[in-house]
Amino acid sequence: MKIGIILGSIRTERATAAVARYVYDLAAQRDGETTFELIDLATFDVPLLTTPIHPMVANKNYGDPNVQRWSAAIDACDAYVFVTPEYNHGVPGGFKNAVDSLGAEWVGKPVAFIGHGSVGGVRAIEQWRQIVANFSMPVVRAEVNFNGFTHWSDGEFQPEDRHVDEVGGVLDELEGLARTVRS
């Protein structure tokens, strides 16, 4: 089984990179047959969704090579961890656009959320839960939240000791859910 850990910010200076790297590093240390891949959305340069063909009926064939690469990366995974910032009480536009640019690649695959922001990314995560329902994606109930005021100091990400277990718990649930969905 392969789980994609999606770094959901495309900003040049992005706190999300440190969070995603932290989650990936913890995931890579896990025992078991699951593999993890850190998928950095910014490296795909997904354009704004303007195609006249609805992504759900595109049969995973897209006219833009960047969207095609994004499609291949997402389609290769059995489940996902969305590492999401919260922008203006919601999901980041670039990440939402990238999710909207695909269709069948997401359908029925489990997802978990790890967020950060002034209140831990909870509002973005709540919106993501509504969005992924459209793709019939089973959602892990537990989430991990990093507060922009308490988990960064002088620009450096500083998770607490408890976050190791919290991330581990989310990954445990996600792996279990993915196994259930696959069987």
Side-chain angles (χ1 to χ4, degrees), residues 41-173:
L41 173 58
T43 65
F44 293 91
D45 197 23
V46 176
L48 288 175
L49 176 61
T50 60
T51 178
I53 300 170
H54 192 288
M56 196 60 83
V57 297
N59 295 317
K60 302 179 187 177
N61 293 307
Y62 304 98
D64 185 284
N66 291 349
V67 177
Q68 198 62 54
R69 284 188 315 106
W70 171 241
S71 168
I74 296 307
D75 200 37
C77 298
D78 301 296
Y80 312 95
V81 176
F82 281 18
V83 181
T84 186
E86 180 178 306
Y87 296 162
N88 300 311
H89 291 220
V91 300
F95 195 5
K96 173 69 164 70
N97 177 73
V99 169
D100 289 345
S101 294
L102 303 181
E105 297 86 348
W106 302 113
V107 173
K109 294 180 181 178
V111 61
F113 301 101
I114 296 179
H116 71 90
S118 61
V119 293
V122 296
R123 295 171 291 212
I125 290 172
E126 286 306 308
Q127 289 179 12
W128 278 123
R129 291 179 190 282
Q130 294 172 349
I131 293 163
V132 301
N134 183 62
F135 298 106
S136 301
M137 296 174 77
V139 175
V140 169
R141 177 66 184 109
E143 62 188 58
V144 181
N145 310 101
F146 295 101
N147 185 291
F149 299 109
T150 59
H151 295 120
W152 275 264
S153 179
D154 295 324
E156 295 296 317
F157 178 53
Q158 298 181 339
E160 298 173 44
D161 292 342
R162 68 181 170 88
H163 289 122
V164 172
D165 290 337
E166 289 180 11
V167 170
V170 165
L171 294 175
D172 287 344
E173 287 187 43

